[in-house]
Amino acid sequence: MSQFIVETATPKGYQLKLQTGLFINNEFVAGSDTIDTVNPANGKVIASVQAADKKEVDAAVDAASKAFHGPWGKMTPSKRAELMLKLADLIDRDNEVLSQIESLDNGKGITFSRLFDVKQIAITLRYFAGYADKIHGKVIDIEGALCYTRHEPIGVCGAIIPWNFPLMMLGWKLGPALCTGNTVVVKTSEMTPLSALKVAELIVEAGFPPGVINIITGYGAIAGDALARHMKVSKIAFTGSTAVGRHIMKAASESNLKKVTLELGGKSPNIIFDDADLDLAVRWAHKGIFFNHGQCCCAGSRVYVQASIYDKFLEKFKEYTKQTKLGHPHDDDTFQGPQISKTQFDRIMTYIEKGKEEGATCYMGGNRWGNEGYYIEPTIFTDVKQDMTIVREEIFGPVVTVSKFEDVDDVVHMALDTDYGLAAAVFTKDTARAIDVSNRLQAGTVWVNCYNELDYNTPFGGFRQSGIGRENGEYALDNYLQVKTVKINVSRQP
Ligand code: NAP
Ligand code: MG
């Protein structure tokens, strides 16, 4: 197991033993290639990890298939739950090391890794473990026969996850897949492979049979594509961009018509009425866009403020944003760290330039921060029009547009003027208005007087081109089960 261990330390001197092999059949093995993963705070390579091509994807799927038809399939649901609970406990035990790795590889503030990301994977596994022995079908009355349904696992499930919440996304995929009796092959993002590989060590320690969970790193176009096209993968759960989401559906349709769920991008509106608690609205709007450095699929990147409070809101929003700390991921008080990569950094800076070119006012920020790593100042644009690129396209960075509106119809019209539909928010003290506007918005989640509150037990997913299916909560289970109808003849004649 130690062959692929890389010893290193964080810039603050926290010693780490990183796992860099592909995790297949409870072993760490070589890939056909390697990928360098980078610390976004300084652009330096942390480690080189093994990368899978089709051959290793085949091996992982074979292992998952054997486990499904073997020990995992035969295990009682309560025993499966026990293993999931054990894994959650080990993740909590190792919160510090997992947090150090997550912040090193992804760039998020260490306090967020500790209190959010690592806690979320553990809590999600526990929540879904509770369902393992509560999955059952129905008895349906039909004439002359007994009919019952069985809710059966699908088989080998593929999961392709992004880099913005590597551990939380792993939890969102593993939880519902495992409690329903499936086995899994996860492909992590090439940008953030390290935390999931640490979890892989804990999977072995928890006592999962080989092949139940396989975690591979690899390039999207090679390993991701091979998984999406695999004839023995019965379901694929994808989180990432809308463009790659389309590709996943195509790969599924060109191969074995595997079931597909997609969590894609967004351009979510955040609507602030003039009767809202202004100070609270400012703080939530800040969290809405700047949490995780704007790298949130549900980010409130289009803020709409009622005309009578617009100027006051902007002033307070700027003041509040100035106070939050942009800094090193391993400092306890860092709110905003670097963007994930040079590519994303360049992409975001191009959007900022485009905003200026198209006539918007850069009211705050707009520049690189520091002289190493991929930091971008929190950026606020005003004087924006609905047809500007920065209002239409997902930027996936710390960039927000703040527009003015007059009345409810005006703002609902602007909020709906997008191809996406992942999330939205309304700030008002008027309950009737909150309900009316929430009903009229086209979004998988509508927050009222809060933003970016993600809970493992509530469904999350997109309307329109933000995705297909729901993750989390009881709703997630359906994606991982298939219904079998059994009819036992009692008195029917041929
Ligand atoms: P992405 O390219 O869609 O990547 C997401 C995952 O899909 C990664 O594991 C990626 O692998 C894999 N992938 C890429 N091409 C693939 C292919 N042809 N077949 C199968 N899998 C493939 O997203 P990204 O590059 O990380 O970010 C680009 C944009 O995606 C962002 O700017 C944002 O718009 C959106 N995004 C959304 C979310 C969300 O939570 N909804 C999360 C992240 C990104 P590699 O890592 O090897 O490319
Ligand atoms: Mg990295």
PDB file of all heavy atoms in Angstrom, residues 33 47 59 75 93 184 192 221 267 396 415 425 435-436 492:
ATOM      1  N   ASP A  33      -0.833   6.594 -16.699  1.00  0.00           N
ATOM      2  CA  ASP A  33      -0.272   7.942 -16.862  1.00  0.00           C
ATOM      3  C   ASP A  33      -0.200   8.557 -15.463  1.00  0.00           C
ATOM      4  O   ASP A  33      -0.619   7.926 -14.484  1.00  0.00           O
ATOM      5  CB  ASP A  33      -1.249   8.736 -17.741  1.00  0.00           C
ATOM      6  CG  ASP A  33      -0.622   9.985 -18.347  1.00  0.00           C
ATOM      7  OD1 ASP A  33       0.531  10.305 -18.010  1.00  0.00           O
ATOM      8  OD2 ASP A  33      -1.310  10.651 -19.143  1.00  0.00           O
ATOM      9  N   ALA A  47       1.978  16.963  -5.725  1.00  0.00           N
ATOM     10  CA  ALA A  47       2.323  15.556  -5.941  1.00  0.00           C
ATOM     11  C   ALA A  47       1.860  15.156  -7.330  1.00  0.00           C
ATOM     12  O   ALA A  47       1.011  15.808  -7.933  1.00  0.00           O
ATOM     13  CB  ALA A  47       1.630  14.683  -4.900  1.00  0.00           C
ATOM     14  N   ALA A  59     -10.817  -2.177 -15.075  1.00  0.00           N
ATOM     15  CA  ALA A  59     -10.477  -2.941 -13.866  1.00  0.00           C
ATOM     16  C   ALA A  59     -11.340  -2.500 -12.682  1.00  0.00           C
ATOM     17  O   ALA A  59     -11.818  -3.332 -11.892  1.00  0.00           O
ATOM     18  CB  ALA A  59      -8.987  -2.761 -13.531  1.00  0.00           C
ATOM     19  N   MET A  75     -24.666  -8.955   1.493  1.00  0.00           N
ATOM     20  CA  MET A  75     -24.610  -8.398   2.854  1.00  0.00           C
ATOM     21  C   MET A  75     -25.989  -7.887   3.284  1.00  0.00           C
ATOM     22  O   MET A  75     -26.746  -7.368   2.473  1.00  0.00           O
ATOM     23  CB  MET A  75     -23.600  -7.245   2.854  1.00  0.00           C
ATOM     24  CG  MET A  75     -23.180  -6.793   4.212  1.00  0.00           C
ATOM     25  SD  MET A  75     -21.949  -5.483   4.052  1.00  0.00           S
ATOM     26  CE  MET A  75     -20.470  -6.404   3.716  1.00  0.00           C
ATOM     27  N   ARG A  93     -12.824  11.310  12.841  1.00  0.00           N
ATOM     28  CA  ARG A  93     -11.575  11.138  13.587  1.00  0.00           C
ATOM     29  C   ARG A  93     -10.428  11.841  12.882  1.00  0.00           C
ATOM     30  O   ARG A  93      -9.575  12.462  13.511  1.00  0.00           O
ATOM     31  CB  ARG A  93     -11.269   9.632  13.714  1.00  0.00           C
ATOM     32  CG  ARG A  93     -10.016   9.318  14.530  1.00  0.00           C
ATOM     33  CD  ARG A  93      -9.527   7.897  14.279  1.00  0.00           C
ATOM     34  NE  ARG A  93      -8.986   7.750  12.928  1.00  0.00           N
ATOM     35  CZ  ARG A  93      -8.626   6.589  12.391  1.00  0.00           C
ATOM     36  NH1 ARG A  93      -8.772   5.452  13.082  1.00  0.00           N
ATOM     37  NH2 ARG A  93      -8.139   6.534  11.175  1.00  0.00           N
ATOM     38  N   VAL A 184     -19.700   1.277  -6.481  1.00  0.00           N
ATOM     39  CA  VAL A 184     -19.397   2.580  -7.083  1.00  0.00           C
ATOM     40  C   VAL A 184     -17.982   2.664  -7.662  1.00  0.00           C
ATOM     41  O   VAL A 184     -17.039   2.147  -7.070  1.00  0.00           O
ATOM     42  CB  VAL A 184     -19.522   3.693  -5.996  1.00  0.00           C
ATOM     43  CG1 VAL A 184     -19.515   5.073  -6.641  1.00  0.00           C
ATOM     44  CG2 VAL A 184     -20.774   3.529  -5.161  1.00  0.00           C
ATOM     45  N   THR A 192      -8.215  18.032  -8.071  1.00  0.00           N
ATOM     46  CA  THR A 192      -8.303  17.785  -6.618  1.00  0.00           C
ATOM     47  C   THR A 192      -8.446  16.295  -6.284  1.00  0.00           C
ATOM     48  O   THR A 192      -9.471  15.869  -5.745  1.00  0.00           O
ATOM     49  CB  THR A 192      -9.522  18.532  -6.030  1.00  0.00           C
ATOM     50  OG1 THR A 192     -10.672  18.163  -6.811  1.00  0.00           O
ATOM     51  CG2 THR A 192      -9.345  20.021  -6.023  1.00  0.00           C
ATOM     52  N   ALA A 221     -11.598  13.604 -20.297  1.00  0.00           N
ATOM     53  CA  ALA A 221     -11.832  13.122 -21.655  1.00  0.00           C
ATOM     54  C   ALA A 221     -11.392  11.665 -21.838  1.00  0.00           C
ATOM     55  O   ALA A 221     -11.798  11.010 -22.797  1.00  0.00           O
ATOM     56  CB  ALA A 221     -11.100  14.011 -22.643  1.00  0.00           C
ATOM     57  N   LYS A 267     -26.804  30.334 -12.870  1.00  0.00           N
ATOM     58  CA  LYS A 267     -26.587  31.789 -12.877  1.00  0.00           C
ATOM     59  C   LYS A 267     -27.722  32.336 -12.018  1.00  0.00           C
ATOM     60  O   LYS A 267     -28.686  32.929 -12.507  1.00  0.00           O
ATOM     61  CB  LYS A 267     -26.649  32.308 -14.328  1.00  0.00           C
ATOM     62  CG  LYS A 267     -26.187  33.734 -14.482  1.00  0.00           C
ATOM     63  CD  LYS A 267     -24.685  33.895 -14.338  1.00  0.00           C
ATOM     64  CE  LYS A 267     -24.277  35.353 -14.344  1.00  0.00           C
ATOM     65  NZ  LYS A 267     -22.833  35.526 -14.041  1.00  0.00           N
ATOM     66  N   PHE A 396     -18.221  31.438 -12.331  1.00  0.00           N
ATOM     67  CA  PHE A 396     -17.614  30.489 -11.390  1.00  0.00           C
ATOM     68  C   PHE A 396     -16.407  31.086 -10.688  1.00  0.00           C
ATOM     69  O   PHE A 396     -15.355  30.458 -10.539  1.00  0.00           O
ATOM     70  CB  PHE A 396     -17.237  29.187 -12.109  1.00  0.00           C
ATOM     71  CG  PHE A 396     -17.658  27.977 -11.339  1.00  0.00           C
ATOM     72  CD1 PHE A 396     -18.992  27.717 -11.097  1.00  0.00           C
ATOM     73  CD2 PHE A 396     -16.712  27.088 -10.815  1.00  0.00           C
ATOM     74  CE1 PHE A 396     -19.395  26.615 -10.369  1.00  0.00           C
ATOM     75  CE2 PHE A 396     -17.109  25.979 -10.082  1.00  0.00           C
ATOM     76  CZ  PHE A 396     -18.449  25.740  -9.866  1.00  0.00           C
ATOM     77  N   ALA A 415     -35.240  37.691 -13.461  1.00  0.00           N
ATOM     78  CA  ALA A 415     -34.723  36.477 -12.816  1.00  0.00           C
ATOM     79  C   ALA A 415     -34.888  35.264 -13.735  1.00  0.00           C
ATOM     80  O   ALA A 415     -34.004  34.397 -13.811  1.00  0.00           O
ATOM     81  CB  ALA A 415     -35.444  36.241 -11.495  1.00  0.00           C
ATOM     82  N   ALA A 425     -33.008  33.268  -4.665  1.00  0.00           N
ATOM     83  CA  ALA A 425     -33.316  33.683  -3.292  1.00  0.00           C
ATOM     84  C   ALA A 425     -34.160  34.946  -3.301  1.00  0.00           C
ATOM     85  O   ALA A 425     -34.124  35.734  -4.249  1.00  0.00           O
ATOM     86  CB  ALA A 425     -32.035  33.919  -2.496  1.00  0.00           C
ATOM     87  N   ILE A 435     -43.693  33.919  -0.651  1.00  0.00           N
ATOM     88  CA  ILE A 435     -44.282  32.688  -1.209  1.00  0.00           C
ATOM     89  C   ILE A 435     -44.626  32.885  -2.687  1.00  0.00           C
ATOM     90  O   ILE A 435     -44.324  32.037  -3.528  1.00  0.00           O
ATOM     91  CB  ILE A 435     -45.521  32.262  -0.386  1.00  0.00           C
ATOM     92  CG1 ILE A 435     -45.078  31.886   1.041  1.00  0.00           C
ATOM     93  CG2 ILE A 435     -46.262  31.109  -1.048  1.00  0.00           C
ATOM     94  CD1 ILE A 435     -46.217  31.698   2.021  1.00  0.00           C
ATOM     95  N   ASP A 436     -45.231  34.030  -2.996  1.00  0.00           N
ATOM     96  CA  ASP A 436     -45.618  34.299  -4.381  1.00  0.00           C
ATOM     97  C   ASP A 436     -44.388  34.279  -5.306  1.00  0.00           C
ATOM     98  O   ASP A 436     -44.373  33.594  -6.334  1.00  0.00           O
ATOM     99  CB  ASP A 436     -46.326  35.672  -4.443  1.00  0.00           C
ATOM    100  CG  ASP A 436     -46.574  36.101  -5.871  1.00  0.00           C
ATOM    101  OD1 ASP A 436     -47.130  35.300  -6.639  1.00  0.00           O
ATOM    102  OD2 ASP A 436     -46.178  37.243  -6.230  1.00  0.00           O
ATOM    103  N   ARG A 492     -55.956 -16.692 -11.538  1.00  0.00           N
ATOM    104  CA  ARG A 492     -56.139 -16.294 -12.943  1.00  0.00           C
ATOM    105  C   ARG A 492     -55.972 -17.501 -13.860  1.00  0.00           C
ATOM    106  O   ARG A 492     -55.162 -18.381 -13.569  1.00  0.00           O
ATOM    107  CB  ARG A 492     -55.123 -15.213 -13.327  1.00  0.00           C
ATOM    108  CG  ARG A 492     -55.411 -13.881 -12.676  1.00  0.00           C
ATOM    109  CD  ARG A 492     -54.496 -12.813 -13.221  1.00  0.00           C
ATOM    110  NE  ARG A 492     -54.812 -11.527 -12.612  1.00  0.00           N
ATOM    111  CZ  ARG A 492     -54.297 -10.363 -12.997  1.00  0.00           C
ATOM    112  NH1 ARG A 492     -53.419 -10.338 -13.973  1.00  0.00           N
ATOM    113  NH2 ARG A 492     -54.641  -9.248 -12.411  1.00  0.00           N
TER     114      ARG A 492
END
